Coordinates of all heavy atoms in Angstrom, one line a residue:
D1 N -3.8 -25.8 40.0 CA -4.5 -24.8 40.8 C -6.0 -25.1 41.0 O -6.6 -25.5 40.1 CB -4.4 -23.4 40.1 CG -3.0 -22.8 40.1 OD1 -2.2 -23.2 41.0 OD2 -2.7 -22.0 39.3
A2 N -6.4 -25.0 42.2 CA -7.8 -25.2 42.5 C -8.6 -24.0 41.9 O -8.2 -22.9 41.9 CB -8.1 -25.3 44.0
V3 N -9.9 -24.3 41.6 CA -10.7 -23.3 41.0 C -11.3 -22.5 42.2 O -12.0 -23.1 43.1 CB -11.9 -23.9 40.2 CG1 -12.8 -22.8 39.7 CG2 -11.3 -24.6 39.0
P4 N -11.1 -21.2 42.2 CA -11.7 -20.4 43.3 C -13.2 -20.4 43.4 O -13.8 -20.5 42.4 CB -11.2 -19.0 43.0 CG -10.0 -19.1 42.1 CD -10.3 -20.4 41.3
E5 N -13.7 -20.4 44.6 CA -15.2 -20.4 44.8 C -15.9 -19.3 44.0 O -17.0 -19.5 43.6 CB -15.4 -20.2 46.3 CG -16.9 -20.2 46.7 CD -17.1 -19.9 48.1 OE1 -16.3 -20.3 49.0 OE2 -18.2 -19.3 48.4
F6 N -15.2 -18.2 43.8 CA -15.8 -17.1 43.1 C -16.5 -17.5 41.8 O -17.5 -17.0 41.4 CB -14.8 -16.0 42.8 CG -15.3 -14.8 42.0 CD1 -16.1 -13.9 42.6 CD2 -15.0 -14.8 40.6 CE1 -16.6 -12.8 41.8 CE2 -15.5 -13.7 39.9 CZ -16.3 -12.8 40.5
Y7 N -15.9 -18.4 41.1 CA -16.4 -18.8 39.7 C -17.7 -19.5 39.8 O -18.4 -19.6 38.7 CB -15.3 -19.6 39.0 CG -14.1 -18.8 38.7 CD1 -12.9 -19.2 39.2 CD2 -14.1 -17.7 37.8 CE1 -11.7 -18.4 38.9 CE2 -13.0 -17.0 37.5 CZ -11.8 -17.3 38.1 OH -10.7 -16.6 37.8
S8 N -18.1 -20.0 40.9 CA -19.4 -20.6 41.0 C -20.5 -19.6 41.4 O -21.7 -20.0 41.5 CB -19.4 -21.7 42.0 OG -19.1 -21.2 43.3
R9 N -20.2 -18.4 41.7 CA -21.1 -17.4 42.1 C -21.8 -16.7 41.0 O -21.3 -16.6 39.9 CB -20.5 -16.3 43.0 CG -19.9 -16.8 44.3 CD -19.3 -15.7 45.1 NE -18.7 -16.3 46.3 CZ -17.7 -15.7 46.9 NH1 -17.3 -14.5 46.5 NH2 -17.2 -16.2 48.0
S10 N -23.1 -16.3 41.2 CA -23.8 -15.7 40.1 C -23.2 -14.4 39.6 O -23.3 -14.1 38.4 CB -25.3 -15.4 40.6 OG -25.3 -14.5 41.7
L11 N -22.5 -13.6 40.5 CA -21.8 -12.4 40.0 C -20.9 -12.7 38.9 O -20.8 -12.0 37.9 CB -21.1 -11.7 41.2 CG -20.3 -10.5 40.8 CD1 -21.2 -9.4 40.2 CD2 -19.6 -9.9 42.0
W12 N -20.0 -13.8 39.1 CA -19.1 -14.1 38.0 C -19.8 -14.4 36.7 O -19.4 -14.0 35.6 CB -18.2 -15.3 38.4 CG -17.3 -15.7 37.3 CD1 -17.4 -16.9 36.6 CD2 -16.3 -15.0 36.6 NE1 -16.5 -17.0 35.6 CE2 -15.8 -15.8 35.5 CE3 -15.8 -13.7 36.7 CZ2 -14.9 -15.4 34.7 CZ3 -14.8 -13.3 35.9 CH2 -14.3 -14.1 34.8
H13 N -20.9 -15.2 36.8 CA -21.6 -15.5 35.6 C -22.1 -14.3 34.9 O -22.1 -14.2 33.6 CB -22.8 -16.5 35.9 CG -22.3 -17.8 36.4 ND1 -21.7 -18.8 35.6 CD2 -22.2 -18.3 37.6 CE1 -21.3 -19.8 36.3 NE2 -21.6 -19.6 37.5
E14 N -22.6 -13.3 35.6 CA -23.0 -12.0 35.0 C -21.8 -11.3 34.4 O -22.0 -10.8 33.2 CB -23.6 -11.1 36.1 CG -25.0 -11.6 36.6 CD -25.5 -10.8 37.8 OE1 -25.2 -9.6 37.8 OE2 -26.2 -11.3 38.6
V15 N -20.7 -11.2 35.1 CA -19.6 -10.5 34.6 C -19.1 -11.2 33.3 O -18.8 -10.6 32.3 CB -18.4 -10.4 35.6 CG1 -17.1 -9.9 35.0 CG2 -18.9 -9.5 36.8
R16 N -19.0 -12.5 33.4 CA -18.5 -13.3 32.2 C -19.4 -13.1 31.0 O -18.9 -12.9 29.9 CB -18.6 -14.8 32.6 CG -18.1 -15.7 31.5 CD -18.2 -17.2 32.0 NE -17.6 -18.1 30.9 CZ -18.3 -18.4 29.8 NH1 -19.5 -18.1 29.6 NH2 -17.7 -19.2 28.9
Q17 N -20.7 -13.1 31.2 CA -21.6 -12.9 30.1 C -21.4 -11.5 29.5 O -21.4 -11.3 28.3 CB -23.1 -13.0 30.6 CG -24.1 -12.9 29.5 CD -23.9 -14.0 28.4 OE1 -23.6 -15.2 28.7 NE2 -24.1 -13.7 27.2
Q18 N -21.2 -10.5 30.3 CA -21.0 -9.1 29.9 C -19.7 -9.1 29.0 O -19.7 -8.4 28.0 CB -20.9 -8.1 31.0 CG -22.2 -7.9 31.7 CD -22.0 -7.1 33.0 OE1 -20.9 -6.8 33.4 NE2 -23.1 -6.9 33.7
M19 N -18.7 -9.8 29.4 CA -17.4 -9.7 28.7 C -17.5 -10.5 27.4 O -17.0 -10.0 26.4 CB -16.3 -10.3 29.5 CG -15.9 -9.5 30.8 SD -15.6 -7.8 30.5 CE -17.2 -7.0 30.8
L20 N -18.2 -11.6 27.4 CA -18.5 -12.3 26.1 C -19.2 -11.4 25.1 O -18.8 -11.3 23.9 CB -19.2 -13.6 26.4 CG -18.5 -14.7 27.1 CD1 -19.5 -15.8 27.5 CD2 -17.3 -15.2 26.3
E21 N -20.2 -10.7 25.6 CA -21.0 -9.8 24.7 C -20.1 -8.6 24.3 O -20.1 -8.3 23.1 CB -22.2 -9.3 25.5 CG -23.2 -10.3 25.7 CD -24.4 -9.9 26.6 OE1 -24.5 -8.7 26.9 OE2 -25.2 -10.8 26.9
R22 N -19.3 -8.1 25.2 CA -18.4 -7.0 24.8 C -17.5 -7.4 23.7 O -17.2 -6.6 22.7 CB -17.6 -6.5 26.0 CG -16.6 -5.4 25.7 CD -15.5 -5.3 26.7 NE -14.6 -6.5 26.7 CZ -13.7 -6.7 27.6 NH1 -13.5 -5.8 28.6 NH2 -12.9 -7.8 27.6
D23 N -16.9 -8.6 23.8 CA -16.0 -9.1 22.8 C -16.6 -9.9 21.6 O -15.9 -10.5 20.9 CB -15.0 -10.0 23.5 CG -14.1 -9.3 24.5 OD1 -13.9 -8.1 24.4 OD2 -13.5 -9.9 25.4
W24 N -17.9 -9.7 21.5 CA -18.7 -10.3 20.4 C -18.5 -11.8 20.3 O -18.4 -12.3 19.2 CB -18.3 -9.6 19.1 CG -18.6 -8.1 19.1 CD1 -17.8 -7.1 19.4 CD2 -19.9 -7.5 18.7 NE1 -18.5 -5.9 19.3 CE2 -19.7 -6.1 18.9 CE3 -21.1 -8.1 18.3 CZ2 -20.8 -5.3 18.7 CZ3 -22.1 -7.2 18.1 CH2 -22.0 -5.8 18.3
Y25 N -18.4 -12.5 21.4 CA -18.2 -13.9 21.4 C -17.1 -14.4 20.5 O -17.2 -15.4 19.8 CB -19.6 -14.6 21.1 CG -20.6 -14.4 22.1 CD1 -21.5 -13.3 22.0 CD2 -20.8 -15.2 23.2 CE1 -22.5 -13.0 22.9 CE2 -21.8 -15.0 24.1 CZ -22.6 -13.9 24.0 OH -23.6 -13.7 24.9
R26 N -16.0 -13.7 20.6 CA -14.8 -14.0 19.8 C -13.6 -14.0 20.6 O -13.4 -13.1 21.5 CB -14.6 -13.0 18.7 CG -15.7 -13.0 17.6 CD -15.2 -13.8 16.5 NE -16.3 -13.9 15.5 CZ -16.4 -15.0 14.7 NH1 -15.5 -15.9 14.7 NH2 -17.4 -15.1 13.8
C27 N -12.7 -14.9 20.4 CA -11.4 -14.9 21.0 C -10.7 -13.6 20.6 O -10.5 -13.4 19.4 CB -10.6 -16.1 20.6 SG -8.9 -16.2 21.3
Q28 N -10.2 -12.9 21.6 CA -9.5 -11.6 21.3 C -8.1 -11.8 20.9 O -7.4 -10.9 20.4 CB -9.6 -10.7 22.5 CG -11.0 -10.3 22.8 CD -11.8 -9.7 21.6 OE1 -11.4 -8.6 21.3 NE2 -12.7 -10.4 21.1
E29 N -7.6 -13.1 20.9 CA -6.3 -13.4 20.5 C -6.2 -13.9 19.0 O -5.5 -13.3 18.2 CB -5.7 -14.5 21.4 CG -4.2 -14.8 21.2 CD -3.3 -13.6 21.6 OE1 -3.7 -12.9 22.5 OE2 -2.3 -13.5 21.0
C30 N -7.1 -14.9 18.7 CA -7.1 -15.4 17.3 C -8.3 -15.2 16.5 O -8.3 -15.5 15.3 CB -6.8 -16.9 17.4 SG -8.2 -17.9 18.0
G31 N -9.4 -14.7 17.1 CA -10.6 -14.3 16.4 C -11.6 -15.5 16.3 O -12.7 -15.3 15.7
S32 N -11.3 -16.6 16.9 CA -12.1 -17.8 16.8 C -13.5 -17.5 17.5 O -13.5 -16.8 18.5 CB -11.5 -19.0 17.5 OG -12.4 -20.0 17.7
D33 N -14.5 -18.2 17.1 CA -15.8 -18.1 17.8 C -16.0 -19.1 18.8 O -17.0 -19.2 19.5 CB -17.0 -18.1 16.8 CG -17.1 -19.5 16.1 OD1 -16.3 -20.4 16.4 OD2 -17.9 -19.6 15.2
G34 N -14.9 -19.9 19.0 CA -14.9 -20.9 20.1 C -15.7 -22.2 19.8 O -15.8 -23.1 20.7
K35 N -16.4 -22.3 18.7 CA -17.2 -23.5 18.4 C -16.3 -24.7 18.5 O -15.2 -24.8 17.9 CB -17.8 -23.4 17.0 CG -19.0 -22.4 17.0 CD -19.8 -22.6 15.8 CE -21.1 -21.9 15.8 NZ -21.2 -20.5 16.1
G36 N -16.8 -25.7 19.2 CA -16.1 -26.9 19.4 C -15.1 -26.9 20.5 O -14.6 -28.0 20.9
Q37 N -14.8 -25.8 21.0 CA -13.8 -25.7 22.1 C -14.2 -24.8 23.3 O -13.7 -24.8 24.3 CB -12.4 -25.3 21.6 CG -12.3 -24.0 21.0 CD -10.9 -23.6 20.7 OE1 -10.0 -23.9 21.4 NE2 -10.7 -22.9 19.6
G38 N -15.1 -23.9 23.0 CA -15.6 -23.0 24.1 C -14.8 -21.7 24.2 O -13.7 -21.6 23.6
L39 N -15.4 -20.8 24.9 CA -14.7 -19.5 25.2 C -14.6 -19.3 26.7 O -15.4 -19.8 27.4 CB -15.6 -18.4 24.6 CG -15.7 -18.3 23.1 CD1 -16.7 -17.2 22.7 CD2 -14.3 -18.0 22.4
H40 N -13.5 -18.7 27.0 CA -13.2 -18.5 28.4 C -13.0 -17.0 28.6 O -12.5 -16.3 27.7 CB -11.9 -19.1 28.8 CG -11.9 -20.6 28.7 ND1 -12.2 -21.5 29.7 CD2 -11.7 -21.4 27.5 CE1 -12.1 -22.7 29.2 NE2 -11.8 -22.7 27.9
V41 N -13.4 -16.5 29.8 CA -13.1 -15.1 30.1 C -11.9 -15.1 31.1 O -11.9 -15.7 32.2 CB -14.3 -14.4 30.8 CG1 -13.9 -13.0 31.2 CG2 -15.4 -14.3 29.8
H42 N -10.8 -14.6 30.6 CA -9.5 -14.7 31.3 C -9.1 -13.4 32.0 O -9.3 -12.3 31.5 CB -8.4 -15.0 30.2 CG -7.0 -15.0 30.7 ND1 -6.5 -16.0 31.5 CD2 -6.0 -14.1 30.5 CE1 -5.2 -15.7 31.8 NE2 -4.9 -14.6 31.2
H43 N -8.6 -13.6 33.2 CA -8.0 -12.4 34.0 C -6.6 -12.1 33.4 O -5.7 -13.0 33.5 CB -7.9 -12.8 35.5 CG -9.2 -12.8 36.1 ND1 -10.0 -14.0 36.1 CD2 -9.9 -11.9 36.9 CE1 -11.1 -13.7 36.8 NE2 -11.1 -12.5 37.3
K44 N -6.4 -11.0 33.0 CA -5.1 -10.6 32.5 C -4.1 -10.6 33.7 O -3.0 -11.0 33.6 CB -5.1 -9.2 31.8 CG -5.9 -9.1 30.6 CD -6.0 -7.7 30.1 CE -7.0 -7.6 28.9 NZ -7.1 -6.2 28.4
T45 N -4.5 -10.0 34.8 CA -3.8 -10.1 36.1 C -4.6 -10.9 37.0 O -5.8 -10.6 37.3 CB -3.6 -8.7 36.7 OG1 -2.9 -7.9 35.7 CG2 -2.8 -8.7 38.0
R46 N -4.0 -12.0 37.5 CA -4.7 -12.9 38.4 C -5.2 -12.3 39.6 O -4.6 -11.3 40.1 CB -3.8 -14.1 38.8 CG -3.3 -14.9 37.6 CD -2.3 -15.9 38.0 NE -3.1 -17.1 38.4 CZ -2.6 -18.3 38.5 NH1 -1.3 -18.5 38.2 NH2 -3.3 -19.3 38.9
N47 N -6.3 -12.8 40.2 CA -6.8 -12.3 41.5 C -5.7 -12.3 42.6 O -5.6 -11.3 43.3 CB -8.0 -13.1 41.9 CG -9.2 -12.9 41.0 OD1 -9.2 -13.5 39.9 ND2 -10.1 -12.0 41.3
R48 N -5.0 -13.4 42.6 CA -3.9 -13.5 43.6 C -2.8 -12.4 43.5 O -2.1 -12.1 44.5 CB -3.2 -14.9 43.5 CG -4.1 -16.0 44.1 CD -3.3 -17.3 44.0 NE -4.1 -18.1 43.1 CZ -3.8 -19.2 42.6 NH1 -2.5 -19.6 42.7 NH2 -4.6 -19.9 41.9
A49 N -2.7 -11.9 42.3 CA -1.7 -10.9 42.0 C -2.3 -9.5 42.1 O -1.6 -8.5 41.6 CB -1.0 -11.1 40.7
G50 N -3.5 -9.4 42.6 CA -4.1 -8.1 42.7 C -5.1 -7.7 41.6 O -5.6 -6.6 41.5
G51 N -5.4 -8.7 40.7 CA -6.3 -8.5 39.6 C -7.7 -8.5 40.1 O -8.0 -8.9 41.2
D52 N -8.6 -8.0 39.3 CA -10.0 -7.9 39.7 C -10.9 -8.3 38.5 O -10.5 -8.8 37.5 CB -10.4 -6.5 40.3 CG -10.0 -5.4 39.3 OD1 -10.0 -5.7 38.1 OD2 -9.9 -4.3 39.7
E53 N -12.2 -8.1 38.7 CA -13.2 -8.4 37.7 C -13.6 -7.2 36.9 O -14.8 -7.2 36.4 CB -14.4 -9.1 38.3 CG -14.2 -10.6 38.7 CD -13.1 -10.7 39.8 OE1 -13.2 -10.0 40.8 OE2 -12.2 -11.6 39.6
T54 N -12.8 -6.2 36.7 CA -13.1 -5.0 35.9 C -12.9 -5.4 34.4 O -12.1 -6.2 34.1 CB -12.3 -3.8 36.3 OG1 -10.9 -4.2 36.1 CG2 -12.5 -3.4 37.7
P55 N -13.7 -4.8 33.6 CA -13.6 -5.1 32.1 C -12.1 -4.9 31.6 O -11.7 -5.7 30.7 CB -14.5 -4.0 31.5 CG -15.5 -3.8 32.5 CD -14.8 -3.8 33.8
E56 N -11.4 -4.0 32.2 CA -10.0 -3.8 31.7 C -9.1 -4.9 32.0 O -8.1 -5.1 31.3 CB -9.4 -2.5 32.3 CG -10.1 -1.2 32.0 CD -11.4 -1.0 32.8 OE1 -11.6 -1.6 33.9 OE2 -12.3 -0.3 32.3
N57 N -9.5 -5.7 33.0 CA -8.6 -6.9 33.4 C -9.1 -8.2 32.8 O -8.6 -9.2 33.1 CB -8.6 -7.0 34.9 CG -7.5 -8.0 35.4 OD1 -6.4 -8.0 34.9 ND2 -7.9 -8.8 36.3
L58 N -10.2 -8.2 32.0 CA -10.8 -9.4 31.5 C -10.8 -9.4 30.0 O -10.9 -8.4 29.4 CB -12.2 -9.5 32.0 CG -12.4 -9.6 33.5 CD1 -13.8 -9.5 33.9 CD2 -11.8 -10.9 34.1
V59 N -10.5 -10.6 29.4 CA -10.5 -10.7 28.0 C -11.1 -12.1 27.6 O -10.9 -13.1 28.3 CB -9.1 -10.6 27.4 CG1 -8.1 -11.6 28.0 CG2 -9.1 -10.5 25.9
T60 N -11.8 -12.2 26.5 CA -12.3 -13.4 26.0 C -11.3 -14.2 25.2 O -10.7 -13.6 24.3 CB -13.6 -13.2 25.1 OG1 -14.6 -12.5 25.9 CG2 -14.2 -14.5 24.6
L61 N -11.1 -15.4 25.5 CA -10.1 -16.3 24.8 C -10.7 -17.6 24.5 O -11.5 -18.1 25.3 CB -8.8 -16.5 25.6 CG -8.0 -15.3 26.0 CD1 -6.9 -15.7 27.0 CD2 -7.5 -14.6 24.8
C62 N -10.4 -18.2 23.4 CA -10.8 -19.6 23.1 C -10.0 -20.5 24.0 O -9.0 -20.1 24.6 CB -10.6 -19.9 21.6 SG -8.9 -20.0 21.1
N63 N -10.4 -21.8 24.0 CA -9.7 -22.7 24.9 C -8.2 -22.8 24.6 O -7.4 -22.8 25.5 CB -10.4 -24.1 24.8 CG -9.8 -25.1 25.9 OD1 -9.8 -24.7 27.0 ND2 -9.4 -26.2 25.4
T64 N -7.9 -22.9 23.3 CA -6.5 -23.0 22.9 C -5.7 -21.8 23.3 O -4.6 -22.0 23.9 CB -6.4 -23.2 21.3 OG1 -7.1 -24.4 21.0 CG2 -5.0 -23.3 20.9
C65 N -6.1 -20.6 23.1 CA -5.4 -19.4 23.4 C -5.4 -19.3 25.0 O -4.4 -18.8 25.5 CB -6.0 -18.2 22.8 SG -5.7 -18.1 21.0
H66 N -6.4 -19.7 25.6 CA -6.4 -19.6 27.1 C -5.4 -20.5 27.7 O -4.6 -20.1 28.6 CB -7.8 -20.0 27.6 CG -8.1 -19.6 29.1 ND1 -8.7 -20.5 29.9 CD2 -7.8 -18.5 29.8 CE1 -8.7 -19.9 31.1 NE2 -8.2 -18.8 31.1
R67 N -5.3 -21.7 27.2 CA -4.3 -22.7 27.7 C -2.9 -22.1 27.4 O -2.0 -22.1 28.3 CB -4.4 -24.0 27.1 CG -5.5 -24.8 27.7 CD -5.6 -26.3 27.2 NE -4.6 -26.6 26.2 CZ -4.7 -27.5 25.3 NH1 -5.8 -28.2 25.2 NH2 -3.8 -27.7 24.4
R68 N -2.7 -21.6 26.2 CA -1.4 -21.0 25.8 C -1.0 -19.8 26.8 O 0.1 -19.7 27.2 CB -1.4 -20.5 24.4 CG -0.1 -20.0 23.9 CD -0.2 -19.6 22.4 NE -0.7 -20.7 21.6 CZ -1.7 -20.5 20.7 NH1 -2.3 -19.3 20.6 NH2 -2.2 -21.5 20.0
E69 N -2.0 -19.0 27.1 CA -1.8 -17.9 28.0 C -1.3 -18.4 29.4 O -0.4 -17.8 30.0 CB -3.0 -17.0 28.1 CG -2.9 -15.8 28.9 CD -1.9 -14.8 28.3 OE1 -1.8 -14.7 27.1 OE2 -1.3 -14.0 29.1
H70 N -2.0 -19.4 29.9 CA -1.6 -19.9 31.2 C -0.2 -20.6 31.2 O 0.6 -20.4 32.2 CB -2.6 -20.9 31.8 CG -3.8 -20.1 32.4 ND1 -3.7 -19.6 33.6 CD2 -5.0 -19.8 31.9 CE1 -4.9 -19.0 33.9 NE2 -5.7 -19.1 32.8
I71 N 0.1 -21.2 30.1 CA 1.5 -21.8 30.0 C 2.5 -20.7 30.0 O 3.5 -20.8 30.7 CB 1.6 -22.7 28.7 CG1 0.7 -24.0 28.9 CG2 3.0 -23.0 28.4 CD1 0.5 -24.8 27.6
T72 N 2.3 -19.7 29.2 CA 3.2 -18.5 29.2 C 3.3 -17.9 30.6 O 4.4 -17.6 31.0 CB 2.7 -17.5 28.1 OG1 2.6 -18.1 26.9 CG2 3.6 -16.3 28.1
E73 N 2.2 -17.7 31.2 CA 2.2 -17.1 32.6 C 3.0 -18.0 33.5 O 3.9 -17.5 34.3 CB 0.8 -16.9 33.2 CG 0.0 -15.8 32.5 CD -1.4 -15.8 33.0 OE1 -1.8 -16.7 33.8 OE2 -2.2 -14.9 32.5
R74 N 2.8 -19.3 33.5 CA 3.6 -20.2 34.3 C 5.1 -20.1 34.1 O 5.9 -20.1 35.0 CB 3.1 -21.6 34.1 CG 3.5 -22.6 35.1 CD 2.8 -24.0 35.0 NE 1.4 -23.9 35.1 CZ 0.6 -24.3 34.1 NH1 1.0 -24.8 33.0 NH2 -0.7 -24.1 34.2
R75 N 5.5 -20.0 32.8 CA 6.9 -19.9 32.5 C 7.5 -18.6 33.0 O 8.6 -18.6 33.5 CB 7.1 -20.0 30.9 CG 6.9 -21.4 30.4 CD 7.2 -21.5 28.9 NE 6.9 -22.9 28.5 CZ 6.5 -23.2 27.3 NH1 6.3 -22.2 26.4 NH2 6.3 -24.4 26.9
H76 N 6.7 -17.5 32.9 CA 7.2 -16.3 33.4 C 7.4 -16.3 34.9 O 8.4 -15.8 35.4 CB 6.3 -15.1 33.0 CG 6.4 -14.7 31.6 ND1 7.4 -13.9 31.1 CD2 5.6 -15.0 30.5 CE1 7.2 -13.7 29.8 NE2 6.1 -14.4 29.5
R77 N 6.5 -17.0 35.6 CA 6.6 -17.1 37.1 C 7.8 -17.9 37.4 O 8.5 -17.6 38.4 CB 5.3 -17.7 37.7 CG 4.2 -16.7 37.8 CD 3.1 -17.2 38.7 NE 2.6 -18.6 38.5 CZ 1.7 -18.9 37.6 NH1 1.0 -17.9 37.0 NH2 1.3 -20.1 37.5
E78 N 8.0 -19.0 36.7 CA 9.2 -19.9 37.0 C 10.5 -19.2 36.8 O 11.4 -19.3 37.5 CB 9.1 -21.2 36.1 CG 8.0 -22.1 36.5 CD 7.8 -23.2 35.5 OE1 8.4 -23.3 34.4 OE2 6.9 -24.1 35.8
V79 N 10.6 -18.4 35.7 CA 11.8 -17.6 35.4 C 12.0 -16.6 36.5 O 13.1 -16.4 37.0 CB 11.7 -16.9 34.0 CG1 12.8 -15.9 33.9 CG2 11.7 -18.0 32.9
A80 N 10.9 -15.9 37.0 CA 11.1 -14.9 38.0 C 11.5 -15.5 39.3 O 12.2 -14.9 40.1 CB 9.7 -14.2 38.2
V81 N 11.0 -16.7 39.6 CA 11.4 -17.4 40.9 C 12.7 -18.0 40.8 O 13.5 -18.0 41.8 CB 10.3 -18.4 41.3 CG1 10.7 -19.3 42.4 CG2 9.0 -17.8 41.5
G82 N 13.0 -18.6 39.7 CA 14.1 -19.5 39.7 C 15.3 -19.3 38.9 O 16.3 -19.6 39.0

């Protein structure tokens, strides 16, 4: 998947920072502080599926949990389609 232009905009950087602060710079899945791998702000419902940038739709995840989440989402989509 190509990275949407939205992620390069200053609004996303502000929203991302707010979510990291809200989540105390911790992965909400495993509790990691992300040192050595980074933290991501993940959309629970993708923009393409009607998700938005509201706090309720965003969660802080470490790189490992973020990748795992996308793999799980991809598997669910494949099962639904095929």
Side-chain angles (χ1 to χ4, degrees):
D1 288 336
V3 177
E5 180 185 329
F6 175 78
Y7 293 115
S8 65
R9 296 185 185 153
S10 63
L11 175 61
W12 171 248
H13 294 284
E14 291 175 30
V15 169
R16 181 181 184 279
Q17 186 62 37
Q18 291 170 0
M19 296 305 95
L20 291 169
E21 290 173 6
R22 177 200 67 188
D23 293 338
W24 298 93
Y25 293 90
R26 293 264 173 208
C27 175
Q28 298 302 292
E29 189 68 30
C30 73
S32 167
D33 63 6
K35 284 198 171 45
Q37 64 172 324
L39 293 171
H40 302 264
V41 175
H42 173 71
H43 288 84
K44 296 175 186 177
T45 301
R46 300 175 85 157
N47 293 81
R48 284 181 241 166
D52 55 22
E53 283 66 48
T54 58
E56 299 78 24
N57 190 46
L58 299 170
V59 62
T60 300
L61 298 174
C62 68
N63 189 52
T64 300
C65 290
H66 192 224
R67 283 190 355 211
R68 186 178 305 126
E69 185 65 30
H70 279 281
I71 289 168
T72 301
E73 288 173 357
R74 193 172 303 121
R75 285 184 182 148
H76 285 281
R77 282 195 311 271
E78 289 170 358
V79 168
V81 170

